[in-house]
Amino acid sequence: MAVEVAKIELKNVQDASGLEACIVRGQFAADQVIAVIGKTEGNGGVNDFTRILADQAFRRVLQKHGKRSEAEIAAIPMVWSGGCDGVITPHATVFATNDKTGPPSKSCLAIGTAISAELLPEDIGRPAMVEKVADAVRAAMRDAGIDDPKDVHYVQTKTPLLTIESVRDAEARGRHVACEVHDSMGVSNGTAALGIALALGEIKPPRAEQICGDLDLYSSVASCSSGVELTRAQVVLLGNKLGAGGRYRIGHAVMRDALDMDGIYEAIRNAGLDLPARPRAEDLGGRVVNCFIKCEADRRGSLRGRRQIMLDDSDVHHHRHAKAAVGGVAAAAIGDPAVFVSVDAMHQGPQGGGPVIAIIEAGE
């Protein structure tokens, strides 16, 4: 099946009018939507309920215009990342499938989704979560019809984080969690990234002490988010597949640091778009659908030999510094502030940098 992709601006935190417009004009049907990845304008923290509001709004539109049951719509992976610091525009990228096919010699975008086994509070930050996420990634590969991990260019996950209630639940069962509640977002993201890396053969099974410890272990295609609204890992996997049909391709690279604009252009080249040696946004010809980037402040407190103060700022969290900075670099690179930039990049790309994924319109 071919994949149709649409990037939709959110006019407010409960706005799904862009999704509805795509359905009404026939770009895709409501029942063809299989995944959504979006940015909302909340604080990006544990208590960011803009993710839940956006999620509810999009599912209501699918129920209004489609024939799937409420339970079927609830099972659609929707990964919402909170926080549009700096110039980032709230938006969603919607993925739908249709029955078109392409020539067996042409490789185009394919997508697979999966939901993991239940992730218990005590699994977060531990090998059990790595294995459960890895199993779900393998299932998503099968769903996409992709056999070779080298054809996988993007794995987006959304996993649970800890709350006071879930910590109490674990303790009531005689279990103990691996970290504090407010550290669990980064720990959950990092553990999920190792599960992705394991499933794709980028690493060997990590030892318990390496999880969120050995930062030389990472995935170059992982983008992991977490939230309070789920108890399983949602997995959206994208790659290129021969004969998939459609008009899109995907590629990836890594940003070596927060200023690595060349890494963004390398991901676009990897997707199949020819660019000059020193590209600018004008060279893209409007063919970049979206870029998906993970980033975080370099724990060494430096950037290209210059001292950085992100980690020392008591007024503004370093996540917001990093997200705003990288969002500005990405928006300048592609000429569009509606870019997906997410923080907490532990085990996602090299320290101080992160994976960057590009989806382009390649033509049919």
Side-chain angles (χ1 to χ4, degrees):
M1 295 189 293
V3 179
E4 181 67 29
V5 189
K7 182 162 69 175
I8 296 165
E9 183 175 331
L10 304 186
K11 298 176 182 177
N12 59 64
V13 295
Q14 298 185 81
D15 174 46
S17 62
L19 172 62
E20 192 161 32
C22 288
I23 294 168
V24 170
R25 68 171 175 260
Q27 184 173 352
F28 48 76
D31 289 342
Q32 292 176 325
V33 173
I34 62 166
V36 177
I37 300 172
K39 289 293 300 180
T40 65
E41 60 203 75
N43 60 25
V46 174
N47 64 336
D48 184 354
F49 296 106
T50 65
R51 298 182 297 236
I52 297 175
L53 294 173
D55 189 275
Q56 292 173 341
F58 270 60
R59 294 185 196 276
R60 281 196 298 268
V61 168
L62 295 183
Q63 189 160 21
K64 173 183 176 182
H65 290 276
K67 297 180 180 178
R68 286 182 287 191
S69 67
E70 186 174 349
E72 289 172 319
I73 292 172
I76 298 170
M78 292 192 184
V79 179
W80 298 97
S81 172
C84 289
D85 303 88
V87 299
I88 299 172
T89 297
H91 70 281
T93 305
V94 179
F95 299 89
T97 56
N98 56 53
D99 57 3
K100 295 179 181 179
T101 58
S105 59
K106 186 178 179 181
S107 182
C108 289
L109 180 66
I111 186 170
T113 64
I115 304 292
S116 78
E118 189 85 10
L119 289 168
L120 301 173
E122 60 267 28
D123 291 339
I124 296 173
R126 294 191 169 122
M129 180 174 176
V130 174
E131 292 291 345
K132 289 179 180 179
V133 171
D135 286 343
V137 172
R138 296 182 189 106
M141 279 186 66
R142 291 192 295 271
D143 188 53
I146 295 176
D147 299 319
D148 190 344
K150 293 180 181 178
D151 292 326
V152 176
H153 292 277
Y154 180 25
V155 182
Q156 176 70 59
T157 62
K158 191 67 180 280
T159 52
L161 45 72
L162 295 177
T163 64
I164 295 298
E165 290 75 16
S166 65
V167 172
R168 287 174 177 168
D169 171 69
E171 291 174 345
R173 292 181 286 103
R175 305 292 183 179
H176 297 283
V177 297
C179 63
E180 299 290 334
V181 168
H182 284 285
D183 294 330
S184 66
M185 181 173 288
V187 171
S188 182
N189 291 353
T191 312
L194 291 178
I196 294 167
L198 178 62
L200 300 180
E202 295 178 285
I203 63 169
K204 296 179 180 179
R207 300 186 305 274
E209 65 271 19
Q210 290 180 297
I211 299 172
C212 302
D214 184 354
L215 299 185
D216 289 333
L217 299 180
Y218 64 81
S219 171
S220 60
V221 299
S223 178
C224 304
S225 295
S226 51
V228 298
E229 64 268 28
L230 69 174
T231 60
R232 302 171 186 265
Q234 295 180 339
V235 178
V236 181
L237 179 145
L238 296 99
N240 296 315
K241 177 186 174 184
L242 291 172
R247 52 198 174 100
Y248 302 96
R249 280 184 55 83
I250 188 169
H252 80 277
V254 295
M255 292 180 72
R256 294 295 169 183
D257 60 33
L259 299 179
D260 188 12
M261 189 179 288
D262 288 340
I264 297 172
Y265 289 131
E266 186 56 37
I268 295 169
R269 286 192 185 96
N270 187 246
L273 191 61
D274 290 330
L275 296 176
R278 299 298 299 170
R280 301 178 61 182
E282 292 79 6
D283 298 317
L284 305 180
R287 292 173 60 189
V288 174
V289 179
N290 208 357
C291 284
F292 304 84
I293 300 171
K294 288 296 291 190
C295 66
E296 66 178 10
D298 194 315
R299 297 178 184 215
R300 296 164 292 198
S302 66
L303 177 59
R304 300 195 180 184
R306 297 291 192 182
R307 186 170 71 92
Q308 295 287 287
I309 55 86
M310 294 184 194
L311 296 168
D312 298 319
D313 192 337
S314 298
D315 298 312
V316 179
H317 195 278
H318 59 88
H319 285 173
R320 312 198 80 157
H321 279 290
K323 196 185 306 177
V326 175
V329 171
I334 70 170
D336 184 357
V339 288
F340 185 93
V341 179
S342 175
V343 288
D344 264 335
M346 194 186 305
H347 296 306
Q348 298 153 76
Q351 186 176 176
V356 52
I357 295 96
I359 295 176
I360 67 165
E361 188 169 350
E364 296 191 68

